[in-house]
Amino acid sequence: MYSNSIKIFSGNSHVELAKLVARRIGIELGKVVVLKYSNQETCVTIGESVRDEDVFIIQSGCGEINDNLMELLIMINACKTASARRITAVIPCFPYARQDKKDKSRAPITAKLVANMLIVAGANHVITMDLHASQIQGFFNVPVDNLYSEPSMLKYIKTEIPDWKNSIIVSPDAGGAKRATAIADRLNLDFALIHKERKKANEVSRMVLVGDVRGKVAILVDDMADTCGTLALAASTLKENGALKVYAIVAHGILSGKAIDVINESSLERVVVTNTIPHEDKKSICPKLQTIDISGTLAEAIRRTHNGESVSFLFSHAPE
């Protein structure tokens, strides 16, 4: 029977998010078994027909990142060889996105390698969220929709942060200035910047604040929180400069290593992350951690892609 309906499959990286997306679209997740043999090889079995269907595979770049990437590639290839009409890789947090340029001699551009692997596996389209560098879209020769969590962040600030009109948006480094100024403009607020001076990689020696935060609520905005050292140091710098409270709103909460201890010991009031990466287990040991649900944005992007509608509406609006 010809139908060309949506089929959504999920890898093992973030099944909860995939369930939320499927529920919003109003369908069940497709049947798929992903397991590992005793020699650590990944085996994928697609449990239903995908012939001539519009297939979406949801897999985030987190946790066992290499295993999850391999899972995604094998699932894409399994659907390709099973005659799927179109295969879209939905990657909420793109793996290896920080390795996007040759910043020193003999450095690999791994993000480009990942793009090549996805295309060779058989992906016809990629939907991702808050790429570390938007130029990564140019690594693909298939369409890439880079969605933004910014509308959801704006909604959170307006509804969950009391006295947000007396706040100032702060970027913890020069690289994130563009993102932070965009949010400051949309909220009609002031903007400040923190300049990092590094002695060596992953170790910030001191921070210099550019802008006046005295007597204001500071909202730190960044695309990624990994070890959270930068956020904690930025929060104490802002407090020293007279900020009343410091919130942090981050797109991808990787929260690796000692991140939870760093957050708990820091002067941050709250750390708000989206659910592109699972962190429910961490919330039980970190009361400061809160979540913005972006499953609505992903579900709407999938629905619009399937129906051939424009996705650009989602760049400035968060679905209800």
Side-chain angles (χ1 to χ4, degrees):
M1 189 185 78
Y2 171 78
S3 67
N4 185 235
S5 55
I6 300 183
K7 288 275 169 87
I8 298 180
F9 295 100
S10 171
N12 288 325
S13 70
H14 199 346
V15 182
E16 282 310 306
L17 179 63
K19 283 178 180 167
L20 286 171
V21 169
R23 193 179 305 144
R24 276 181 176 263
I25 292 175
I27 60 173
E28 293 286 315
L29 277 179
K31 296 182 185 69
V32 60
V33 179
V34 183
L35 47 87
K36 267 187 181 176
Y37 292 141
S38 55
N39 67 349
Q40 300 301 303
E41 275 183 13
T42 301
C43 170
V44 170
T45 310
I46 306 288
E48 57 190 80
S49 170
V50 294
R51 183 175 294 275
D52 212 32
E53 302 283 28
D54 199 3
V55 174
F56 293 84
I57 300 170
I58 301 176
Q59 182 83 315
S60 204
C62 56
E64 297 283 334
I65 203 158
N66 297 323
D67 286 349
N68 290 337
L69 176 59
M70 201 65 209
E71 246 177 51
L72 174 62
L73 296 169
I74 295 171
M75 285 171 79
I76 291 170
N77 201 247
C79 291
K80 182 188 177 183
T81 52
S83 305
R85 175 180 289 197
R86 177 174 62 178
I87 301 162
T88 303
V90 182
I91 312 171
C93 180
F94 194 83
Y96 292 98
R98 284 180 281 188
Q99 298 182 36
D100 61 339
K101 57 184 177 290
K102 201 166 176 182
D103 52 0
K104 53 182 181 287
S105 302
R106 298 173 295 283
I109 306 175
T110 318
K112 168 69 174 159
L113 174 64
V114 172
N116 289 345
M117 286 158 71
L118 286 164
I119 290 165
V120 170
N124 308 115
H125 182 203
V126 175
I127 295 175
T128 184
M129 198 153 203
D130 282 303
L131 280 172
H132 188 64
S134 50
Q135 303 90 293
I136 291 172
Q137 291 170 92
F139 292 169
F140 291 86
N141 51 17
V142 297
V144 177
D145 287 318
N146 179 29
L147 304 171
Y148 301 107
S149 56
E150 184 189 303
S152 304
M153 288 179 177
L154 293 170
K155 197 170 160 186
Y156 181 90
I157 290 169
K158 286 176 179 173
T159 56
E160 300 294 328
I161 295 182
D163 202 22
W164 65 268
K165 289 183 177 172
N166 180 39
S167 60
I168 183 166
I169 306 295
V170 186
S171 174
D173 56 21
K178 198 173 172 186
R179 179 181 296 100
T181 46
I183 288 179
D185 289 346
R186 294 278 297 275
L187 292 168
N188 203 15
L189 296 172
D190 287 336
F191 162 74
L193 175 73
I194 289 174
H195 169 62
K196 284 190 286 198
E197 290 181 358
R198 290 183 189 273
K199 277 187 177 143
K200 57 179 188 243
N202 276 11
E203 203 173 293
V204 180
S205 56
R206 75 187 193 102
M207 289 187 154
V208 183
L209 177 67
V210 183
D212 183 21
V213 298
R214 195 169 304 282
K216 290 187 177 174
V217 174
I219 302 172
L220 284 160
V221 175
D222 209 352
D223 74 319
M224 220 174 251
D226 195 349
T227 52
C228 293
T230 301
L231 285 182
L233 206 54
S236 54
T237 305
L238 290 164
K239 282 276 193 180
E240 284 162 21
N241 282 276
L244 300 175
K245 287 179 183 174
V246 184
Y247 295 90
I249 301 187
V250 181
H252 303 298
I254 298 169
L255 309 177
S256 64
K258 294 180 180 171
I260 297 301
D261 295 337
V262 171
I263 292 169
N264 284 334
E265 290 162 17
S266 73
S267 52
L268 286 159
E269 192 80 14
R270 214 183 292 164
V271 176
V272 185
V273 295
T274 70
N275 57 346
T276 54
I277 292 173
H279 52 258
E280 285 306 311
D281 53 331
K282 295 181 175 125
K283 281 173 89 169
S284 56
I285 51 171
C286 182
K288 292 182 180 182
L289 205 57
Q290 287 198 0
T291 310
I292 297 174
D293 180 20
I294 48 85
S295 64
T297 305
L298 290 174
E300 186 61 14
I302 289 172
R303 192 193 65 75
R304 284 169 177 258
T305 301
H306 176 68
N307 295 335
E309 298 170 24
S310 168
V311 177
S312 54
F313 173 81
L314 296 172
F315 297 163
S316 53
H317 297 82
E320 287 306 316

